């Protein structure tokens, strides 16, 4: 599209998470008129740490926001996979991409705060919960719970795994339970029993359980994550300290002690869901990005990275194409084969025997796809 066409483009982004904030930044750099609508009255990202891959960091460099992200993250050289009791199984350097050779480890809260901090004041409008979206072909109209109605040339649905935009226009399939729970906390490095001495991610694998230690040493902290098989698909299940300790039975005693010492009020507990691949991500005036388009399980650590890549690819496609319609088609053609692959790989988390132990005679939908 011509620069003059891009500057006349009115874009409404639904959702101020990773994908929405990144899309807003990338699209605003094209000169478009961008507004982000977020349902929350204040931004508060829960959870723990994530790794930003080199390709993601290169996007931030391209957008001129690399320093803002680097200030609140730690560069990491490699990741390591170990047995439950600490025997080395795999050690690999992080893949490199172009000028940026490091993966950066960052707290989710710091990440979203840094992303939103590089957007122009007033671009993000809080307290806007989307109720419906009407696509008339030449544009789209959003209706929010507060009664406000907004029209746009392009709507970017970045509203997460339970996306209203996806459900209204592209797919009414419900999220799929993986058969897992994720328990996430951030603790002091001093409480890690000497297990964190550098800036590299380590994952300990036992029967039915994975434990992640992701250093956040720039904060003097470590992200402590447990992923465990569990048949309870309640979105926010009720879990006790004893339940958590039982998941790490047989692990390195230091990991068991970390678990025993967790303050349950600080542990983020959730059942783990993804979605099946969505056949079409776009119309002529609406497009999905991030979890709204391709929510995936966290085993490959690619959810946030894929959302950032979506934002960059969408801006690239609009710049390269002759029209908005062609740009959205190019975006999907560029990104969907990659995210379809990542969704499938991310579901390959457990062996059949381990699944049968927890789900005798029945398997959750995501686990069943691994066979």
């Amino acid at each position: 599209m011509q620069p003059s066409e891009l500057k006349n483009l009115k874009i409404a982004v639904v959702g101020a998470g990773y994908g929405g904030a990144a899309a807003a930044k990338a699209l605003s750099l094209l000169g478009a008129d961008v507004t982000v609508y977020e349902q929350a009255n204040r931004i508060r990202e829960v959870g723990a740490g994530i790794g930003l891959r080199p390709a993601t960091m290169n996007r931030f460099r391209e957008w001129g926001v690399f320093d803002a992200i680097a200030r609140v993250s730690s560069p990491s050289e490699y990741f390591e996979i170990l047995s439950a009791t600490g025997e080395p199984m795999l050690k690999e350097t992080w893949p490199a991409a172009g000028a940026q050779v490091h993966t950066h480890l960052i707290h989710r809260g710091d990440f979203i705060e840094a992303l939103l901090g590089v957007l122009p004041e007033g671009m993000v409008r809080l307290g806007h919960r989307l109720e419906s979206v009407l696509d008339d072909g030449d544009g789209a109209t959003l209706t929010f719970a507060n009664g406000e109605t907004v029209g746009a040339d392009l709507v970017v649905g970045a509203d997460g795994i339970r996306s209203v935009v996806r459900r209204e226009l592209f797919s009414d399939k419900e999220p799929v339970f993986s058969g897992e729970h994720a328990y996430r906390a951030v603790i002091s490095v001093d409480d890690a029993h000497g297990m964190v001495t550098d800036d590299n991610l380590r994952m300990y694998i036992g029967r039915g359980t994975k434990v992640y230690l992701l250093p956040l040493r720039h904060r003097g902290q470590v992200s402590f994550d447990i992923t465990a098989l569990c048949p309870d698909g309640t979105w926010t299940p009720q879990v006790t300290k004893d339940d958590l300790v039982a998941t790490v039975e047989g692990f390195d005693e230091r990991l068991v002690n970390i678990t025993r010492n967790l303050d349950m009020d600080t542990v983020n507990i959730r059942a783990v869901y993804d979605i099946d691949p969505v056949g079409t991500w776009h119309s002529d005036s609406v497009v999905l990005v991030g979890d709204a388009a391709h929510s995936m399980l966290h085993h490959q650590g690619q959810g946030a990275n894929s959302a950032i890549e979506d934002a960059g690819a969408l801006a690239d496609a609009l710049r390269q194409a002759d029209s908005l319609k062609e740009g959205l088609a190019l975006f999907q053609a560029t990104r969907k084969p990659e995210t379809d692959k990542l969704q499938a790989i991310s579901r390959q988390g457990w062996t059949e025997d381990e699944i049968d132990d927890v789900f005798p005679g029945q398997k959750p939908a995501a686990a069943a796809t691994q066979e």
Side-chain angles (χ1 to χ4, degrees):
M1 298 176 67
Q2 296 297 316
S4 58
E5 295 176 298
L6 292 169
K7 288 181 179 179
N8 288 327
L9 203 61
K10 183 178 181 181
I11 300 176
V13 179
V14 182
Y18 309 139
K25 182 62 181 178
L27 295 171
S28 66
L29 290 173
L30 298 178
D33 175 10
V34 181
T35 305
V36 182
Y37 298 92
E38 165 59 37
Q39 66 176 350
N41 290 314
R42 67 185 183 98
I43 303 296
R44 178 177 173 269
E45 183 65 28
V46 298
I50 56 175
L52 302 177
R53 303 296 176 88
T56 302
M57 296 303 294
N58 278 337
R59 280 293 186 186
F60 295 143
R61 190 186 297 278
E62 174 188 326
W63 299 338
V65 302
F66 177 91
D67 290 343
I69 303 296
R71 276 195 296 270
V72 291
S73 62
S74 296
S76 179
E77 297 287 347
Y78 64 85
F79 64 93
E80 191 170 12
I81 300 176
L82 307 99
S83 72
T85 53
E87 289 78 20
M89 299 171 64
L90 174 70
K91 181 177 178 180
E92 288 191 8
T93 56
W94 293 106
Q100 173 54 41
V101 297
H102 289 298
T103 286
H104 278 63
L105 307 182
I106 191 169
H107 188 280
R108 292 168 185 266
D110 293 343
F111 183 31
I112 193 63
E113 185 175 313
L115 274 180
L116 293 174
V118 299
L119 298 181
E121 186 175 352
M123 181 176 284
V124 179
R125 300 189 62 188
L126 302 178
H128 283 69
R129 180 170 61 83
L130 183 66
E131 285 198 336
S132 66
V133 53
L134 176 64
D135 183 354
D136 63 16
D138 293 326
T141 302
L142 303 174
T143 300
F144 298 97
N146 61 10
E148 187 172 348
T149 299
V150 172
D153 301 309
L154 171 63
V155 167
V156 179
D159 49 341
I161 187 171
R162 293 189 277 189
S163 168
V164 174
V165 179
R166 183 184 70 240
R167 185 181 68 241
E168 293 248 322
L169 298 180
F170 301 106
S171 172
D172 60 1
K173 290 183 180 179
E174 293 295 322
V176 179
F177 178 46
S178 68
E180 302 167 315
H181 284 181
Y183 313 120
R184 293 173 170 165
V186 176
I187 63 173
S188 169
V189 168
D190 295 336
D191 294 330
H193 292 264
M195 300 191 77
V196 176
T197 58
D198 56 28
D199 295 306
N200 299 305
L201 171 66
R202 289 177 175 84
M203 179 174 69
Y204 297 79
I205 300 179
R207 190 170 182 79
T209 298
K210 298 178 180 178
V211 178
Y212 302 81
L213 285 173
L214 187 150
L216 300 166
R217 292 207 305 162
H218 56 285
R219 293 170 60 120
Q221 294 177 322
V222 56
S223 178
F224 181 73
D225 299 9
I226 300 171
T227 298
L229 289 170
C230 185
D232 180 7
T234 308
W235 275 96
T236 54
Q238 297 297 310
V239 175
T240 67
K241 173 73 71 66
D242 288 342
D243 294 331
L244 260 64
V245 172
T247 67
V248 294
E249 182 180 355
F251 276 71
D252 186 308
E253 190 61 27
R254 294 172 296 176
L255 296 172
V256 177
N257 286 333
I258 292 173
T259 307
R260 284 199 187 104
N261 293 329
L262 289 175
D263 177 355
M264 292 299 290
D265 290 337
T266 68
V267 180
N268 178 257
I269 299 170
R270 65 180 180 89
V272 181
Y273 281 78
D274 68 356
I275 61 174
D276 291 325
V278 178
T280 300
W281 293 357
H282 71 92
S283 64
D284 291 349
S285 54
V286 182
V287 66
L288 301 174
V289 299
D291 282 353
H294 48 67
S295 179
M296 59 190 71
L297 302 185
H298 60 277
H299 300 305
Q300 299 296 316
Q302 289 285 6
N305 289 281
S306 294
I308 305 305
E309 282 296 290
D310 285 354
L314 177 58
D316 290 345
L318 295 184
R319 187 185 297 109
Q320 295 165 15
D322 291 331
S323 66
L324 177 59
K325 177 180 178 180
E326 291 179 12
L328 299 183
L330 175 59
F331 163 68
Q332 177 173 313
T334 301
R335 290 293 298 151
K336 185 168 164 51
E338 180 66 20
T339 59
D340 282 354
K341 186 191 325 178
L342 286 172
Q343 283 184 291
I345 292 173
S346 296
R347 282 183 168 181
Q348 297 171 4
W350 308 102
T351 67
E352 185 174 349
D353 286 345
E354 289 175 304
I355 294 168
D356 283 336
D357 280 350
V358 179
F359 303 92
Q362 58 174 345
K363 297 176 184 177
T369 66
Q370 297 173 27
E371 298 182 351

